[in-house]
Amino acid sequence: MVAALPPTGVRVRVPAKINLALKVGPPRPDGFHPLATVFHAISLYDDLVAEPAPAGEFTVTVSGEDAELVPTDDSNLAIRAARRLAEAYAPAEGVRLSIKKAIPVAGGLAGGSADGAAALVACAALWALDLEQEELLAIAAELGSDVPFALVGGTAIGSGRGEQLVPALARGCYHWVLAFGTEGLSTPKVYGLYDELGGRTAPPPTVADELMNALRAGDAAALGESLDNDLQPAALTLRPVLRRVLDAGLDFGALGAVVSGSGPTVAFLAGSESAAIELSVALSAEGICRSVRRAVGPVHGARVVT
């Protein structure tokens, strides 16, 4: 159930995601690629605040990481989410949204999708809608492939466009070091180059048993060896410096490394908190990425913060 709060403003915190595995099939007739992926929510968050507004008024302001790159018109996914929720359940409502970003834009971490999910949760609470999670998930799936996972968080297996979710059998808490690229990567361009480079010629894509077994066992070393992303060669072609970043992190002792989603963020798995600290310091000193952050996972999806 979505908690109903007094209409004085609702704050929601929503996590970034990384793809522990991302297997990509050939394009479908609708242009989307069928996916088999393992989503993993990590402790890198955007915060969204929803405040009451007159019916039909939907606005958004953005501050924080890459704020200047985020649209504030009706193309903003948080605005689209609020409008769609109002159309379905609260036609007499409007909302003023403000987003404080820590998730890089166009970084392969689903920051825009996270904001869309946060808007659904915040507006449902602001407008005192008594909705089941399944009702929010249905709208989330209309908005984008990664929006449903941003609602639920944790670790989950995604199929279809990524919007069809099944919780993964997973144990343990994992320590991640994120190396952010100096500029974003366009998801359509990465997928387009993936197809040009050969892509996958026959469906369906599947996630390797080794990765799922590592998650079930809570085996960080085995998980590091199993990280996998079909889009990584395309991302490395578009941003050759990412190969240096990957090599450096592995040389500094990471258990494994993967370009997250369509990139350019590189996620390194460390064996412990202290190992993650050492790795982040070493990568920062190399000067080959814009910035470095530590995170843990899995964490919950979009949640109201009191």
Side-chain angles (χ1 to χ4, degrees), residues 78-164:
I79 289 289
R80 289 172 51 202
R83 285 189 180 277
R84 181 66 187 89
L85 189 68
E87 289 170 3
Y89 297 105
E93 302 290 353
V95 69
R96 298 185 183 95
L97 302 175
S98 58
I99 300 170
K100 183 176 181 180
K101 293 201 64 63
I103 305 172
V105 175
L109 300 170
S113 295
D115 296 340
L120 290 177
V121 173
C123 290
L126 181 71
W127 299 334
L129 303 178
D130 187 18
L131 301 179
E132 300 290 342
Q133 188 180 60
E134 288 73 17
E135 294 171 287
L136 291 181
L137 284 170
I139 294 178
E142 297 175 18
L143 294 168
S145 302
D146 294 335
V147 182
F149 178 72
L151 279 176
V152 301
T155 304
I157 302 165
S159 58
R161 293 182 287 110
E163 83 285 6
Q164 301 170 22

Side-chain angles (χ1 to χ4, degrees), residues 196-258:
E196 291 178 22
L197 293 175
R200 187 182 299 272
T201 58
T206 57
V207 175
D209 290 340
E210 290 81 1
L211 186 141
M212 301 310 301
N213 291 337
L215 285 173
R216 279 190 284 268
D219 187 335
L223 178 61
E225 293 177 357
S226 304
L227 299 173
D228 190 15
N229 181 1
D230 281 351
L231 297 180
Q232 185 162 303
L236 294 181
T237 300
L238 291 168
R239 295 285 186 275
V241 69
L242 295 181
R243 194 176 303 277
R244 290 179 58 201
V245 177
L246 284 162
D247 290 343
L250 293 171
D251 288 343
F252 290 135
L255 298 177
V258 67

